[in-house]
Amino acid sequence: TSKACTSARSRRPHRPGRDRHRRQGYQGAHAADWATGCAWLIKREVIERNGLLDERYFLYSEETDYMLRAGGVWFEPRATATHIGGEVSTNARLWSMLTANKVRLHREQHGKFAAFFMWLAMVVNEGLRARSPKHRTALKGLFGMRRWPEEVASEGPSYLCFSAQDWWYHNRAHSDFQLLRRVAKHRKVLLVNSIGLRMPSPGKSTQFLRRILRKAKSVAMLVRRPIPETPNFYVMTPAPLPFYGKPWLRRLNSVLVRTQVRAVCFFLRMGTPVVVATIPTAWDVVKPMRHKGLIFNRSDRHSAFPEADQGTIAALENQLLSNSDTVLYVSRALQEEESALTGERAHFLDHGVDVDHFTRRSELPADIASIPGPRIGFFGSLDDYLVDFDLIEKVAQEFPDASVVLIGDATCSMERYDRYPNVHWLDFRSYEQIPGYGSAFDVALMPWLDNDWIKHANPIKMKEYLALGLAVVSTDFPEVERYSGVIRIASGEADFIDQVRLTLKDGGLKTPAERRAAVLTASWDSRARELMQLAEGR
């Protein structure tokens, strides 16, 4: 029994909820490091500061982790609660999870080296009691334990996703990829690579030939399972005819793409799937298809894309908005603007972040380690309709003694920076490599253009920067305001420069640990579960 008010701070080793051999720990009200989470009260400001429980633990130790992050608890013996049930002492599987999560908690609190000795102590403890089935199960679990508990697959419909990106050459941090690969832990998933918004044309599109060639290579990949540990996740690229201006060409293209997708679904035995559409041009394809439900993942306002046939794309967006069973938004501003059309079918589903992947590295890649600090950095797609390249140039001019590091595929010429010896464009780096490069940044930038696209955006890199504990300076847009306590937000070019200068001086708002804590509960796994609940009505 316990009552906890997490405004208290203590490092005294009182553990009233677990340490049954120290009865004095239960005598009188006092501060403690943590208490059993069966009954506890949390102030709103503590939740706003520390977020919610870390869902990676999946039963046991998640409340201890939270209380330690919050700085301790207050134990109040006058408050009582009755706990009816509790099977951990008799259920071998639950005991095994409890044991393994103690090791995981120790790793998160004290590092891998200390966690090894904690694991060794647990092995000895369970080994000495191995006559009991629950201790044998725990011992087996310790030797085969994963970094985090693995979710269990269950029965349900397959998922067919029409992505706005291409798995084979775009940044795999995109929400379609992150969400659906996690849905694939539970369901069969076919991800259809982007069927485009426009046909690249010489003189109008940047890097015309390169775009044509990379799409052709993607089509040639046929159908593959790109993640060996997730065998239910399939990726295909249909051969499209991306002409959307004329109705008869759109109909021809939709028949062509739909035929290919249906054939793959048949051979994969997907049955009647839940359809998730992120790109508006998917509407013509999915309109006549049978489905368990149609979800429009409204991750961006695609009709604001400069190179698209904006009138045609806007009409397709409206069709999806009107006919989808569920419309998911990552932008509250966009959700509010379209509320009259979507009504109760609209749901805000924030982006997640892979907090394990985006953990600060101590060993940096050789090429960025050789660049002198301090380093002012950006990683992500360097698109001319998103990134304010003039602002980046201004940063290079104002901070000649700092290195400006740009990491990402560029859709425009970067020759303008050749005159600045302190600008280093390292081009594309894979998703697997990005945390190592980001760990080298002293200041991370979000230098966005002020346009309709950005107004309705929610950049995933914002959470990735914070998960790395980086000090961030951003231009202003609606979704960044949610993180104004840990991100410096500039109101214009001059203010942006001032905020970078201040951050180089003081290290940014809050500590790296506090910045990371701001996104610690924003896991892609929890977002995927929410998507499935909406799609399947559970």
Side-chain angles (χ1 to χ4, degrees), residues 245-302:
K246 297 183 182 298
W248 71 271
L249 282 172
R250 278 175 47 197
R251 286 195 295 271
L252 177 62
N253 181 59
S254 66
V255 171
L256 175 64
V257 172
R258 186 165 54 249
T259 300
Q260 296 172 74
V261 172
R262 276 178 166 166
V264 173
C265 287
F266 175 78
F267 283 108
L268 294 181
R269 300 180 180 179
M270 294 187 64
T272 304
V274 171
V275 176
V276 181
T278 297
I279 194 164
T281 47
W283 169 246
D284 287 331
V285 179
V286 304
K287 180 169 56 175
M289 295 181 70
R290 293 177 62 244
H291 51 73
K292 293 279 189 183
L294 175 58
I295 295 177
F296 184 13
N297 185 22
R298 190 79 157 120
S299 61
D300 293 296
R301 176 173 275 173
H302 289 90

Side-chain angles (χ1 to χ4, degrees), residues 52-71:
L52 302 175
L53 294 172
D54 188 344
E55 295 180 344
R56 296 175 297 174
Y57 286 96
F58 188 65
L59 293 180
Y60 308 117
S61 293
E62 75 274 29
E63 85 275 38
T64 310
D65 166 78
Y66 191 90
M67 294 175 191
L68 291 173
R69 282 195 281 124

Side-chain angles (χ1 to χ4, degrees), residues 4 28 51 78 80 116 133 187 213 233 259 284 303 367 372 469 473 495 507 514:
R78 293 175 299 174
T80 61
F116 170 75
R187 307 284 188 264
L213 287 173
F233 183 68
T259 300
D284 287 331
S303 55
D367 51 355
V473 176
D495 190 33
E514 288 172 318

Side-chain angles (χ1 to χ4, degrees), residues 302-439:
H302 289 90
S303 55
F305 183 64
E307 292 183 17
D309 181 342
Q310 296 184 353
T312 300
I313 299 303
L316 292 170
E317 285 177 325
N318 286 334
Q319 289 286 351
L320 273 171
L321 288 169
S322 300
N323 292 282
S324 295
D325 299 299
T326 303
V327 183
L328 302 179
Y329 289 90
V330 295
S331 165
R332 294 170 179 87
L334 185 55
Q335 181 177 353
E336 178 62 28
E337 287 182 17
E338 298 176 345
S339 60
L341 188 59
T342 56
E344 294 182 354
R345 295 179 295 116
H347 297 272
F348 181 77
L349 182 65
D350 199 2
H351 283 319
V353 63
D354 189 338
V355 291
D356 287 335
H357 184 58
F358 284 91
T359 300
R360 189 179 286 263
R361 312 295 204 258
S362 56
E363 186 175 345
L364 304 178
D367 51 355
I368 198 168
S370 65
I371 296 173
R375 305 181 189 96
I376 303 170
F378 172 93
F379 61 67
S381 298
L382 291 159
D383 296 312
D384 52 6
Y385 61 93
L386 297 176
V387 177
D388 189 338
F389 290 102
D390 292 338
L391 183 56
I392 292 176
E393 187 170 0
K394 186 68 174 177
V395 171
Q397 293 170 351
E398 292 290 329
F399 301 98
D401 296 328
S403 297
V404 179
V405 182
L406 306 176
I407 300 168
D409 191 17
T411 57
C412 59
S413 173
M414 300 293 283
E415 292 180 358
R416 65 187 297 176
Y417 300 115
D418 289 347
R419 73 184 82 168
Y420 301 104
N422 63 325
V423 176
H424 306 266
W425 175 43
L426 302 186
D427 210 335
F428 176 81
R429 293 295 183 270
S430 70
Y431 180 73
E432 290 70 27
Q433 296 173 301
I434 285 296
Y437 283 89
S439 298

